[in-house]
Amino acid sequence: TKTVKFVVISDTHNLHWKVQLPDADVLVHGGDFIDYGMINEVLDFNKWLGTIKHKFKYIIIVPGNHEFFPDAIGMLLTNVSFFF
């Protein structure tokens, strides 16, 4: 039997650099990774994703209510597998 290991987080609100993540197959961030919808917040989050993507086969990001412009944010997140 093959298993798939998920790590699911949410509501990190610009504190992603402090999050300790185990290795897994899939990382899912369930939204609210930024606070104010500023481009620099999104770029910083994407930079962090780039430093951890070696731990995961897939990174899935689901925007929350703090991600005000999801289409624009999705274009800035180059270190994700899927953005919904």
Side-chain angles (χ1 to χ4, degrees):
T1 303
K2 188 172 181 175
T3 61
V4 178
K5 185 175 179 183
F6 285 81
V7 173
V8 181
I9 61 174
S10 70
D11 298 286
T12 53
H13 295 284
N14 291 322
L15 298 176
H16 39 270
W17 290 100
K18 295 181 179 187
V19 176
Q20 299 294 315
L21 299 170
D23 292 352
D25 298 303
V26 181
L27 170 66
V28 178
H29 193 298
D32 292 349
F33 51 87
I34 60 178
D35 276 324
Y36 304 107
M38 305 297 289
I39 291 174
N40 63 319
E41 293 177 307
V42 178
L43 295 175
D44 185 65
F45 182 68
N46 189 60
K47 182 178 179 181
W48 174 72
L49 291 172
T51 68
I52 63 157
K53 68 181 183 181
H54 68 280
K55 293 184 170 205
F56 306 98
K57 293 179 184 174
Y58 301 101
I59 296 176
I60 300 169
I61 306 297
V62 180
N65 64 309
H66 283 257
E67 286 75 60
F68 305 117
F69 305 102
D71 291 337
I73 288 172
M75 293 187 331
L76 296 172
L77 295 179
T78 59
N79 290 312
V80 304
S81 307
F82 302 99
F83 180 79
F84 296 102

